[in-house]
Amino acid sequence: MGISYGPFRDGQSPWGESPTKNQLRQDLQIISENWKWIRLYGSRGVSSDILDIIQTDSLGIKVMLGAWISKEDESIEASAINREEILMAIELANKFPDIVNSINIGNETMVYWSDHKVDIAIMAKYINFTRKRVKVPVTTADDLGFWNKEISSTISDECDFIVVHIHPLWGGQKIEDALDWVKDIYSKIKLVHPNKEIIIGETGWATMKHNEGLQHELIKGRPGQENQKYYYDQFREWASENKISHHFFEVFDENWKGGDHPDEVEKHWGVYYSNRKPKAVSYTHLTLPTNREV
């Protein structure tokens, strides 16, 4: 039972200022009290610091290490950057064999709506390249809208397991129907890929959204802390009973994401605020719901 971790605080971003080691240590202490498995989305930058802190402080956290794959469009520069990401993921996996327990190459690179699409043949090449150079299982993560297509078998055949994203809010679900919808999607993905273990790499419930744009049109459920906790507890109970490995999305709010408006939904998926203060989930995150009205 894990959680997705984006380390960037207010005023920080992947292309700007990075967190300090003290800030990362504070984050990892919070995480270690609640979860023992995290998902990282990139290999360069602060990922090596994160792994080093986990090892030095004996935090007992395992890591699904990511390699962020950008859109290539036959660009030599983009291809070179992607290769650097993959090589660093390989290096770190081999350097921290007791911490890195899997590698994820690419995030939502093949679903039809991706803004950083990568050709399936290229992704297959990247996955195979990585698998030959590490001792941990290797995969790629994508949305349900990719893994439910027959063409996705081209990639799943190359993966040691599958990582699927299933977000009920983006699926237009209200809170009372959210978990049943996730169960149905998971079952359908399993039918397409019966011989693969399927991990839910992202699922969650945002605590705020903007009243304009695509999020206003697609999201029908009510964001908020009470609904987030309700969904979190329900989902964890189901996943635990069915032994479904997962990363809940996500630990902390990330205000660098999405548009400029402060209510932009991409900024508000955390079970902690960006200032590291807990929301409702974090106070009693292992407590299951009992007859609560939402």
Side-chain angles (χ1 to χ4, degrees):
M1 292 192 178
I3 198 152
S4 297
Y5 173 40
F8 300 101
R9 302 185 178 213
D10 293 354
Q12 301 173 349
S13 69
W15 57 85
E17 183 180 345
S18 295
T20 65
K21 285 199 91 168
N22 283 339
Q23 290 174 330
L24 295 173
R25 180 167 274 111
Q26 180 189 15
D27 288 355
L28 292 166
Q29 186 61 48
I30 291 171
I31 290 169
S32 69
E33 293 172 356
N34 298 283
W35 303 275
K36 292 300 181 183
W37 191 29
I38 60 174
R39 177 184 174 190
L40 301 179
Y41 287 78
S43 62
R44 294 179 299 164
V46 298
S47 290
S48 59
D49 288 337
I50 291 170
L51 295 169
D52 182 65
I53 292 168
I54 291 172
Q55 183 177 77
T56 301
D57 294 3
S58 301
L59 295 177
I61 298 172
K62 299 296 185 180
V63 176
M64 177 188 284
L65 182 62
W68 186 264
I69 302 300
S70 302
K71 186 175 183 177
E72 294 196 0
D73 283 348
E74 300 181 355
S75 164
I76 295 176
E77 181 181 2
S79 178
I81 292 173
N82 287 340
R83 184 176 176 84
E84 288 176 14
E85 271 283 314
I86 293 168
L87 290 174
M88 181 56 72
I90 292 169
E91 179 180 332
L92 292 177
N94 291 327
K95 182 178 179 181
F96 297 94
D98 296 329
I99 298 172
V100 177
N101 67 0
S102 51
I103 294 178
N104 182 80
I105 305 293
N107 184 67
E108 297 178 343
T109 60
M110 292 169 288
V111 67
Y112 65 92
W113 46 256
S114 176
D115 64 358
H116 51 285
K117 277 180 71 67
V118 176
D119 184 83
I120 286 180
I122 293 176
M123 283 303 301
K125 180 182 71 174
Y126 287 160
I127 292 167
N128 281 324
F129 179 87
T130 306
R131 289 179 72 193
K132 293 175 181 177
R133 290 163 175 80
V134 296
K135 297 180 180 179
V136 296
V138 179
T139 186
T140 186
D142 221 306
D143 184 71
L144 61 93
F146 171 72
W147 290 120
N148 65 4
K149 307 291 191 301
E150 288 295 336
I151 194 174
S152 65
S153 295
T154 304
I155 286 295
S156 67
D157 287 346
E158 309 298 331
C159 296
D160 292 306
F161 61 98
I162 287 174
V163 178
V164 61
H165 297 173
I166 311 177
H167 281 285
L169 267 179
W170 282 116
Q173 303 301 304
K174 295 185 177 180
I175 190 65
E176 59 267 24
D177 303 317
L179 185 60
D180 284 341
W181 183 80
V182 171
K183 292 178 182 178
D184 182 60
I185 294 296
Y186 186 85
S187 296
K188 290 176 179 176
I189 301 296
K190 191 68 176 175
L191 287 174
V192 180
H193 307 282
N195 299 318
K196 292 290 181 179
E197 180 180 2
I198 298 173
I199 289 175
I200 298 179
E202 284 188 14
T203 191
W205 197 271
T207 54
M208 192 173 293
K209 76 175 179 72
H210 193 16
N211 60 3
E212 296 179 1
L214 194 61
Q215 61 196 280
H216 178 64
E217 297 174 18
L218 296 180
I219 293 177
K220 307 302 181 186
R222 181 168 62 87
Q225 290 193 47
E226 289 186 10
N227 280 355
Q228 184 187 61
K229 175 168 171 50
Y230 181 77
Y231 177 68
Y232 181 90
D233 289 343
Q234 276 203 327
F235 174 80
R236 278 180 61 101
E237 181 180 25
W238 169 72
S240 177
E241 288 177 353
N242 292 277
K243 295 181 171 56
I244 297 173
S245 299
H246 62 271
H247 292 98
F248 200 82
F249 190 78
E250 61 182 327
V251 188
F252 305 109
D253 283 348
E254 298 187 79
N255 284 326
W256 65 271
K257 288 186 171 180
D260 294 332
H261 197 281
D263 293 346
E264 163 68 45
V265 70
E266 294 300 333
K267 303 178 188 295
H268 299 285
W269 290 93
V271 297
Y272 286 77
Y273 293 103
S274 62
N275 63 5
R276 276 46 184 171
K277 300 297 182 183
K279 299 181 186 178
V281 163
S282 304
Y283 289 117
T284 54
H285 86 279
L286 291 177
T287 302
L288 300 176
T290 55
N291 299 323
R292 62 199 314 257
E293 293 182 1
V294 186

